[in-house]
């Protein structure tokens, strides 16, 4: 859902060729939501504009090296988030869901390899082999497995289970709080969690080369992968349909959950930008500044 589409690839290629118009269009499209995101993370508007400018600068300077594994939007949000964390070092700057502000202080209740908990009783498979050169491969495999896992839930309309998975893996909310938030039985949440981990693990094993049936996973890696690919984030068009109240009831409820209960800051920024799409004169001014300050980094055709 947040994979790079054909349009993202052509935009990237156009910018690589030094197409200033394509670059200005990209700024136009993403500056609003990036600025809204930054404004929720830093207190001074000038700092927010500064980190957004830095984000576009980093993007254009790295343009020849970028290999898109996620959409341009997700890629830009990733740079922006790093920029904010590096510049304003604080735990709060790093959380990407409102709900994490409540739960992050409580300590991690699920240390260790979550996929190992499923693997217990399956001694034929070693689940922890961590050589550096394998790390990237493992991350890619995990991302692919999780993408498939989320797609299955969506196709089957299992939105309750998707909500449980999202709270557990994207937000790291402890089991019993997941049960409380969704008004479900504790035991049910545990069962769904076990089923989810088993499915993720099976997908990983299927995707790993047969010679390499080993996998190292931690709760952090699971969350980091979920986050960096924004696996359960609705598309911008879905947010638009939500705004116009044109979604079917159960999807409307899911998007509302993602925005209000999970409090996904990427999607909230995007949603706010959609609501205030008619940019005011200050945004036009900011846009002009962004284009002027970054266009010089484009390679000359
Ligand atoms: Zn989201």
């Amino acid at each position: 859902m947040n994979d790079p589409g054909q349009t993202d690839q052509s935009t990237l290629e156009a910018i690589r060729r030094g197409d200033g118009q394509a670059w200005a269009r990209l700024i136009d499209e993403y500056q609003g939501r990036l600025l809204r995101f930054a404004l929720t993370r830093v207190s001074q508007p000038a700092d927010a504009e500064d980190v957004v400018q830095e984000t576009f600068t980093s993007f254009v300077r790295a343009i020849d090296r970028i290999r898109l594994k996620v959409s341009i939007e997700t890629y830009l949000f990733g740079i922006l988030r790093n920029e904010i964390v590096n510049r304003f070092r604080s735990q709060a700057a790093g959380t990407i869901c409102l709900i994490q502000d409540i739960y992050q202080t409580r300590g991690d209740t699920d240390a260790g390899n979550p996929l190992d908990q499923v693997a217990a009783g399956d001694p034929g498979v070693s689940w922890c082999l961590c050589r550096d050169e394998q790390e990237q491969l493992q991350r890619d495999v995990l991302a692919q497995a999780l993408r498939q896992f989320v797609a299955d839930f969506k196709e089957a309309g299992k939105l309750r289970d998707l909500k449980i998975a999202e709270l557990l893996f994207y937000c790291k909310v402890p089991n019993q709080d997941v049960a409380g938030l969704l008004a479900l039985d504790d035991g049910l949440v545990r069962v769904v969690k076990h089923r989810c981990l088993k499915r993720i693990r099976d997908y990983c094993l299927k995707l790993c080369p047969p010679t390499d049936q080993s996998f190292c996973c931690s709760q952090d890696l699971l969350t980091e992968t979920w986050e960096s690919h924004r696996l359960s984030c609705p598309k911008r068009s879905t947010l638009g349909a939500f705004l116009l109240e044109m979604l079917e009831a159960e999807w409307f409820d899911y998007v509302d959950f993602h925005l209000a209960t999970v409090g996904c800051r990427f999607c909230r920024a995007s949603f706010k930008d959609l609501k205030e799409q008619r940019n005011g004169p200050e945004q036009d001014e900011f846009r002009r500044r962004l284009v002027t300050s970054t266009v010089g980094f484009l390679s000359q055709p």
Side-chain angles (χ1 to χ4, degrees):
M1 68 171 359
N2 281 294
D3 304 345
Q6 200 47 51
T7 323
D8 279 356
Q9 287 298 352
S10 352
T11 301
L12 201 64
E13 279 155 31
I15 298 168
R16 275 194 190 126
R17 290 195 301 270
D19 182 339
Q21 300 242 312
W23 178 239
R25 273 199 305 275
L26 180 135
I27 288 182
D28 208 21
E29 186 167 353
Y30 296 106
Q31 53 127 358
R33 57 195 99 163
L34 294 175
L35 187 62
R36 305 260 170 259
F37 180 84
L39 284 168
T40 65
R41 316 272 56 204
V42 302
S43 49
Q44 298 299 321
D47 287 338
E49 292 195 356
D50 217 33
V51 284
V52 170
Q53 180 167 345
E54 204 48 51
T55 299
F56 283 114
T57 307
S58 305
F59 184 84
V60 73
R61 292 180 84 161
I63 197 82
D64 289 323
R65 300 191 304 275
I66 294 173
R67 299 283 167 269
L68 280 184
K69 288 180 182 173
V70 292
S71 64
I72 288 179
E73 180 192 79
T74 297
Y75 196 88
L76 287 168
F77 270 132
I79 305 177
L80 175 61
R81 183 177 173 225
N82 283 344
E83 197 66 43
I84 294 171
V85 173
N86 289 339
R87 216 187 283 197
F88 308 90
R89 292 203 175 275
S90 75
Q91 195 186 40
T95 61
I96 42 111
C97 299
L98 291 175
I99 204 168
Q100 290 175 320
D101 294 347
I102 305 168
Y103 290 101
Q104 276 217 342
T105 50
R106 292 206 193 166
D108 198 347
T109 51
D110 289 315
N113 181 343
L115 300 187
D116 256 352
Q117 296 160 15
V118 186
D122 186 0
V125 183
S126 153
W127 276 81
C128 209
L129 176 81
C130 236
R131 294 205 313 270
D132 280 351
E133 68 267 27
Q134 281 197 310
E135 206 187 300
Q136 194 48 51
L137 176 74
Q138 297 203 343
R139 280 170 189 265
D140 291 348
V141 164
L142 185 61
Q144 233 180 305
L146 286 173
R147 196 173 286 135
Q148 187 61 53
F149 165 80
V150 170
D152 287 351
F153 275 167
K154 291 196 165 169
E155 264 159 44
K158 290 187 168 174
L159 298 180
R160 183 205 67 185
D161 290 1
L162 183 59
K163 284 180 185 174
I164 296 178
E166 188 166 46
L167 287 173
L168 289 169
F169 307 134
Y170 185 42
C171 313
K172 282 185 171 175
V173 172
N175 292 3
Q176 78 233 50
D177 293 308
V178 172
L181 282 162
L182 297 174
L184 297 168
D185 183 63
D186 273 12
L188 176 70
V189 171
R190 271 201 306 278
V191 168
V192 174
K193 181 178 185 180
H194 186 269
R195 217 187 293 149
C196 288
L197 288 171
K198 184 175 180 318
R199 194 179 280 200
I200 295 168
R201 180 174 168 273
D202 289 348
Y203 275 132
C204 286
L205 285 176
K206 220 183 275 176
L207 290 163
C208 268
T211 48
D212 182 27
Q213 294 281 293
S214 52
F215 207 85
C216 201
C217 186
S218 64
Q219 172 81 48
D220 285 345
L221 183 61
L222 206 62
T223 299
E224 196 189 306
T225 309
W226 194 296
E227 233 178 76
S228 58
H229 290 259
R230 296 181 57 212
L231 290 161
S232 52
C233 289
K235 286 186 204 160
R236 174 105 161 163
S237 52
T238 307
L239 291 177
F242 173 81
L243 180 64
L244 300 173
E245 298 186 22
M246 282 166 61
L247 287 178
E248 287 167 37
E250 75 252 32
W251 281 101
F252 186 90
D253 172 66
Y254 175 74
V255 175
D256 185 52
F257 166 83
H258 187 79
L259 290 173
T261 307
V262 166
C264 173
R265 288 193 160 101
F266 299 125
C267 291
R268 286 170 71 95
S270 203
F271 183 65
K272 196 159 181 206
D273 178 53
L274 269 174
K275 273 209 294 204
E276 299 165 13
Q277 191 105 70
R278 307 283 146 254
N279 296 340
E282 323 87 68
Q283 280 222 13
D284 285 348
E285 175 50 34
F286 179 46
R287 178 184 168 276
R288 252 193 303 278
R289 258 190 295 141
L290 284 174
V291 175
T292 325
S293 66
T294 54
V295 78
F297 291 110
L298 292 179
S299 57
Q300 295 307 309

